[in-house]
Amino acid sequence: MNLRVIYPCAILVMSLITFIFYGADKSKAKRGAWRIPERVLLSLSFFGGALGGIAAMQLFRHKTKHWYFHAVNLLGLLLHAALAALIFLYL
């Protein structure tokens, strides 16, 4: 398979996983249960799940007061947009 197909699919899968993790963490926060560590949420966002992270932050109103969640999601989004541009332009 071609990287032009694999990369967007990988980003979509990572975004869906990230969205689910943010939603699960919000649910756990409401119930007072064990939480998903912030480093896990931030790693998922940075390594391909920024779209899901941003969507979950808005939909669930979760982690929106932490500036570093906005920063990591933006950096991840910019990084993967640049990688996608390179893949589509040069491969």
Side-chain angles (χ1 to χ4, degrees):
M1 230 195 257
N2 183 327
L3 196 55
R4 289 183 181 188
V5 175
I6 294 171
Y7 189 72
C9 290
I11 294 297
L12 288 174
V13 168
M14 279 300 295
S15 291
L16 179 61
I17 291 168
T18 303
F19 184 86
I20 291 167
F21 269 66
Y22 273 71
D25 189 55
K26 177 66 176 197
S27 175
K28 289 176 181 210
K30 285 182 176 181
R31 291 180 286 138
W34 173 84
R35 304 280 302 276
I36 296 170
E38 285 187 346
R39 70 180 173 271
V40 171
L41 297 174
L42 291 167
S43 295
L44 287 168
S45 290
F46 186 75
F47 293 110
L51 291 173
I54 292 167
M57 286 175 68
Q58 298 305 309
L59 182 68
F60 302 128
R61 295 186 183 271
H62 191 50
K63 301 293 186 184
T64 57
K65 293 183 180 178
H66 300 287
W67 66 268
Y68 47 91
F69 273 87
H70 293 282
V72 168
N73 276 298
L74 180 60
L75 287 172
L77 187 64
L78 292 174
L79 170 69
H80 291 285
L83 286 173
L86 288 173
I87 288 169
F88 282 90
L89 289 174
Y90 297 109
L91 293 180

